């Protein structure tokens, strides 16, 4: 899909291009490959937002990793977090004794990842790290949340694309852009 697509008309601006994403994801994959040398981590994709990032990231990691999937909901269709996290789909495999890497689309308040971190530590993960495509540090509420790997720090704006949605749309945009407020402020 190119930028003449109608979907792009709903963006105020492109924040991160597909080329920038591709470079960073490759770099992150190489870093994780080095950090986990000799180990076999399980990468957990947090559905649905992280799905596009996840599929690119795992292919950039040269390790005998395994994959699992979890679905949670914290937003509904609004653009502000509800602060309430619901588990919609659990992992298929136990993670007892495993080196776990949570792969998330974006860290905002940190409430979602804090919840997930606690759940997975309670289940006996040997180690746990967090990889996020985007971080909005200005909006963090959970101050001591450690995000080990971040591709891009972004300003406080509502973004879509590369897996991130508004009301389930725009996930298939190859770039990340700021959604025009006119779209979500419609009566
Ligand atoms: P937190 O719990 O850190 O406040 O929120 C994390 C979740 O909120 C993300 O996984 C994502 O689903 C959603 N979120 C936060 N900021 C944005 C944004 O700018 N755009 C989109 N599409 N989702 C966001």
């Amino acid at each position: 899909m190119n930028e003449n697509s109608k979907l792009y008309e709903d963006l105020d601006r492109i924040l991160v291009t597909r080329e920038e994403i591709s470079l960073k994801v490759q770099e992150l994959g190489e870093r994780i490959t080095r950090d986990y040398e000799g180990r076999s981590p399980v990468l957990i994709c947090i559905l649905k937002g992280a799905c596009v990032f996840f599929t690119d990231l795992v292919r950039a990691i040269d390790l005998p990793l395994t994959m699992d999937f979890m679905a949670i909901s914290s937003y509904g269709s609004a653009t502000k977090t509800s602060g309430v996290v619901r588990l919609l789909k659990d992992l298929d495999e136990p993670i007892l004794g495993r080196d776990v890497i949570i792969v998330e689309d974006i860290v905002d308040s940190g409430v979602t990842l804090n919840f997930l971190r606690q759940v997975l530590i309670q289940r006996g993960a040997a180690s746990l790290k967090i990889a996020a495509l985007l971080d909005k540090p200005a909006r963090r509420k959970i101050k001591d949340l450690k995000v080990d790997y971040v591709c891009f720090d972004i300003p406080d704006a509502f973004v879509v694309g590369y897996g991130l949605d508004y009301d389930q749309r725009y996930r298939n945009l190859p770039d990340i852009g700021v959604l025009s407020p006119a779209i979500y402020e419609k009566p």
Side-chain angles (χ1 to χ4, degrees):
M1 186 193 308
N2 64 42
E3 290 161 30
N4 299 324
S5 151
K6 259 189 111 43
L7 287 175
Y8 280 82
E9 291 172 11
D10 295 346
L11 300 184
D12 253 1
R13 63 182 196 279
I14 293 178
L15 202 58
V16 193
T17 65
R18 62 193 82 187
E19 291 81 14
E20 290 167 328
I21 296 169
S22 172
L23 273 177
K24 277 279 183 199
V25 172
Q26 197 57 42
E27 269 175 35
L28 177 56
E30 287 165 13
R31 200 173 145 200
I32 291 175
T33 304
R34 285 195 302 274
D35 290 356
Y36 285 81
E37 197 193 335
R39 293 191 276 168
S40 169
V42 52
L43 274 81
I44 299 180
C45 175
I46 308 303
L47 296 169
K48 301 173 191 165
C51 68
V52 180
F53 173 43
F54 186 82
T55 53
D56 282 344
L57 180 63
V58 290
R59 286 178 291 171
I61 301 175
D62 184 4
L63 291 171
L65 58 80
T66 63
M67 304 177 203
D68 212 333
F69 299 84
M70 239 179 168
I72 47 139
S73 141
S74 57
Y75 252 40
S77 62
T79 58
K80 293 276 177 278
T81 187
S82 64
V84 180
V85 185
R86 281 192 306 140
L87 190 58
L88 303 178
K89 184 218 168 288
D90 207 340
L91 299 173
D92 291 335
E93 305 289 336
I95 52 157
L96 184 67
R98 297 292 308 272
D99 293 310
V100 172
I101 305 176
I102 303 178
V103 181
E104 174 64 304
D105 54 358
I106 183 165
V107 197
D108 188 12
S109 68
V111 170
T112 308
L113 277 170
N114 199 43
F115 167 84
L116 286 171
R117 185 178 62 174
Q118 282 168 10
V119 169
L120 299 180
I121 285 174
Q122 273 167 15
R123 293 184 189 180
S127 69
L128 191 143
K129 283 194 182 179
I130 295 172
L133 174 68
L134 304 173
D135 190 2
K136 286 185 194 168
R139 293 194 28 102
R140 190 78 84 260
K141 285 198 191 121
I142 312 290
K143 301 286 182 206
D144 63 348
L145 180 76
K146 185 165 175 259
V147 186
D148 305 274
Y149 304 109
V150 174
C151 290
F152 302 97
D153 280 349
I154 61 164
D156 180 10
F158 190 78
V159 296
V160 293
Y162 198 66
L164 289 112
D165 75 311
Y166 170 67
D167 215 4
Q168 300 304 329
R169 289 163 56 210
Y170 308 105
R171 293 193 198 275
N172 56 331
L173 288 180
D175 308 279
I176 297 166
V178 176
L179 189 65
S180 299
I183 301 296
Y184 52 84
E185 284 167 1
K186 270 186 199 152

